[in-house]
C-alpha cells in the first residue's frame, strides 16, 4: 500500500472543505500524557471547523469497553469513527463493526493488526514506528562512542506488550544493536513498564538492587524513561554517568532533558496525529479517498536542538 508522508506543516492535509459532521472518538485512555496531547489536537482542530462535533470517550484501557463504544457510535449514526486502540491485536472486530454499519473508521497512533487489509473507508494515521526506536538507539550508540565506551551494558524498558508500537520499538533497539557499529552494546535485561512512569520506577529500583553495573537505559517511551531516572536519582546515581533515552518528546521529558537527566528522545507529533486523524475521518465521511497509511515523521531530539520542540508536545 502507498504511504503518505507528512511534514510538520499540515496545510495540504488540512485543506478539506468544511462540513457538518459528528465524529465518535474512542481513546485507549485519558490518563496518559502523550494521548492527552493527541486528543487535544483533535479537539482544537475541530474547533476551527464549522459544524464538526466530536464525541470523545475514554475506553479506560479496556478492550471490551472500546468495542462497545464503537458499536454505540455506529448505532447512534455518527459520520465517522476515530479509534486509538487499547490492544492493537484486537482491532479486526472493531473494523468489522464499523464496516457492517458502513461507517468510516480511522485508527490513530497505534497500528492495528489488520492495517494491511483495511477496507477502502478505513485508514491509519500515526508515525512509522520503524523509525522511532531506531533514531533513539542510534543516538544512544553515538553517545556511548563519544564517551569512549568499548563495551556498554543497558537495560531496556518496554511498553505494553500487546501494543504494536512497543513491539516495534523494541525490535528497533535490537536491530540497531545487531549492526557492526553498535554491537558493543549489550542488553542486560528487558521488561515492560506498560508505558507507566511508576511501574518503570519500580522496575528500575529492582534492577538497581541487583548491583549489576550498567551504562544506560533505553525506554520505549518518555514516561518509562522518567520513571527510571527517578529511581536512579533516588539511588544517588550521577546522571552524567549514564545515558537515558525515551520516545515522544513530552513536556516532562523535555524538562528532564533540560535538567541534564534525559539524553535522547524522539518527537512524535501527537497534536499532528490527532489533527490528521480528524481530517482523514472527515474526508472519508464525504466519500473522498484517503491513503490507508498516513505517516507523520518522527524527529530526533537532543540537547543540541531541544529549543525547536519546547512548544510542541
Amino acid at each position: 500500500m502507498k504511504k503518505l508522508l507528512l511534514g510538520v506543516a499540515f496545510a495540504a492535509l488540512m485543506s478539506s472543505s468544511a462540513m457538518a459532521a459528528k465524529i465518535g472518538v474512542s481513546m485507549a485512555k485519558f490518563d496518559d500524557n502523550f494521548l492527552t496531547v493527541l486528543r487535544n489536537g483533535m479537539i482544537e482542530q475541530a474547533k476551527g471547523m464549522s459544524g464538526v462535533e466530536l464525541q470523545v470517550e475514554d475506553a479506560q484501557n479496556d478492550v471490551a469497553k472500546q468495542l462497545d463504544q464503537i458499536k454505540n457510535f455506529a448505532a447512534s449514526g455518527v459520520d465517522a469513527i476515530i479509534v486509538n486502540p487499547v490492544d492493537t491485536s484486537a482491532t479486526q472486530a472493531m473494523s468489522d463493526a464499523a464496516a457492517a454499519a458502513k461507517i468510516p473508521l480511522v485508527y490513530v497512533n497505534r497500528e492495528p493488526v489488520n492495517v494491511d487489509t483495511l477496507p477502502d473507508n478505513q485508514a491509519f494515521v500515526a508515525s512509522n514506528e520503524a523509525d522511532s526506536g531506531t533514531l533513539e538507539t542510534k543516538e544512544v550508540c553515538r553517545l556511548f562512542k563519544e564517551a569512549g565506551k568499548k563495551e556498554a551494558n543497558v537495560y531496556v524498558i518496554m511498553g505494553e506488550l500487546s501494543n504494536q508500537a512497543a513491539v516495534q520499538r523494541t525490535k528497533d533497539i535490537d536491530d540497531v544493536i545487531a549492526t557492526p557499529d553498535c554491537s558493543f552494546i549489550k542488553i542486560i535485561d528487558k521488561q515492560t513498564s506498560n508505558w507507566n512512569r511508576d511501574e518503570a520506577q519500580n522496575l528500575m529500583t529492582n534492577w538497581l538492587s541487583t548491583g549489576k553495573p550498567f551504562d544506560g537505559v533505553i525506554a520505549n517511551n518518555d514516561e518509562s524513561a522518567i520513571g527510571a531516572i527517578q529511581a536512579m536519582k533516588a539511588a544517588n546515581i550521577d546522571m552524567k554517568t549514564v545515558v537515558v533515552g525515551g520516545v515522544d518528546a513530552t513536556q516532562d521529558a523535555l524538562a528532564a532533558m533540560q535538567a541534564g537527566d534525559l539524553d535522547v528522545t524522539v518527537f512524535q507529533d501527537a497534536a499532528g496525529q490527532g489533527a490528521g486523524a480528524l481530517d482523514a475521518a472527515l474526508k472519508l465521511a464525504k466519500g473522498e479517498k484517503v491513503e490507508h497509511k498516513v505517516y507523520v515523521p518522527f524527529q530526533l531530539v537532543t540537547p543540541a536542538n531541544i529549543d525547536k520542540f519546547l512548544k510542541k508536545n
Side-chain angles (χ1 to χ4, degrees), residues 29 208 263 296:
K29 58 181 178 179
L208 291 172
D263 300 282
V296 184

Side-chain angles (χ1 to χ4, degrees), residues 1-304:
M1 296 181 185
K2 293 180 180 178
K3 300 173 183 177
L4 180 63
L5 291 176
L6 303 182
V8 175
F10 272 79
L13 186 61
M14 296 301 153
S15 61
S16 296
S17 58
M19 63 172 288
K22 184 172 182 179
I23 311 295
V25 181
S26 175
M27 298 296 299
K29 58 181 178 179
F30 282 5
D31 186 20
D32 180 280
N33 288 348
F34 179 83
L35 295 182
T36 296
V37 179
L38 190 154
R39 184 174 79 250
N40 289 339
M42 276 187 278
I43 293 171
E44 288 303 312
Q45 183 70 13
K47 286 180 180 177
M49 296 178 167
S50 177
V52 175
E53 177 187 351
L54 297 187
Q55 181 181 340
V56 186
E57 297 193 4
D58 183 1
Q60 299 177 333
N61 231 27
D62 184 323
V63 176
K65 181 186 286 290
Q66 185 161 63
L67 182 56
D68 285 342
Q69 288 172 352
I70 292 166
K71 291 178 178 178
N72 290 338
F73 285 148
S76 68
V78 297
D79 296 288
I81 298 169
I82 297 173
V83 180
N84 168 241
V86 170
D87 184 344
T88 54
S89 66
T91 51
Q92 185 62 60
M94 300 175 192
S95 285
D96 291 345
K102 298 182 179 179
I103 295 175
L105 183 148
V106 177
Y107 292 103
V108 63
N109 181 251
R110 298 176 174 181
E111 183 175 306
V113 68
N114 56 320
V115 68
D116 290 325
T117 58
L118 294 175
D120 290 341
N121 69 340
Q122 296 187 17
F124 168 56
V125 177
S127 298
N128 190 347
E129 294 295 352
D131 298 329
S132 56
T134 300
L135 288 169
E136 175 193 19
T137 311
K138 282 184 175 180
E139 179 63 9
V140 169
C141 176
R142 188 192 70 80
L143 289 172
F144 281 145
K145 285 183 173 182
E146 187 176 79
K149 297 280 186 182
K150 300 299 183 183
E151 292 183 1
N153 296 315
V154 300
Y155 286 112
V156 172
I157 303 180
M158 300 180 288
E160 292 177 0
L161 301 182
S162 63
N163 193 290
Q164 182 272 342
V167 173
Q168 183 61 53
R169 290 177 191 181
T170 303
K171 181 179 183 298
D172 295 341
I173 296 168
D174 291 335
D175 288 347
V176 171
I177 290 176
T179 65
D181 282 349
C182 301
S183 60
F184 65 93
I185 301 174
K186 306 298 180 186
I187 297 175
I188 307 170
D189 193 11
K190 60 173 74 168
Q191 292 189 40
T192 181
S193 69
N194 295 305
W195 306 121
N196 186 277
R197 184 183 302 194
D198 291 340
E199 289 188 41
Q201 184 173 0
N202 291 336
L203 176 59
M204 192 72 222
T205 299
N206 290 337
W207 278 334
L208 291 172
S209 70
T210 68
K212 291 181 181 178
F214 69 101
D215 302 283
V217 176
I218 307 176
N220 280 175
N221 70 325
D222 288 337
E223 283 294 289
S224 297
I226 292 169
I229 288 168
Q230 290 174 333
M232 285 185 275
K233 293 180 80 170
N236 295 316
I237 290 175
D238 183 353
M239 296 308 298
K240 293 180 181 178
T241 66
V242 292
V243 174
V244 182
V247 175
D248 287 336
T250 62
Q251 287 301 308
D252 285 353
L254 297 179
M257 183 172 285
Q258 288 179 308
D261 299 330
L262 182 69
D263 300 282
V264 184
T265 187
V266 181
F267 175 64
Q268 182 176 194
D269 193 346
Q273 288 183 15
L278 176 58
D279 190 76
L282 291 172
K283 284 181 175 179
L284 289 172
K286 291 193 295 182
E288 296 179 12
K289 185 177 180 180
V290 173
E291 298 290 350
H292 281 311
K293 296 179 182 179
V294 181
Y295 284 150
V296 184
F298 280 107
Q299 299 175 68
L300 182 68
V301 183
T302 68

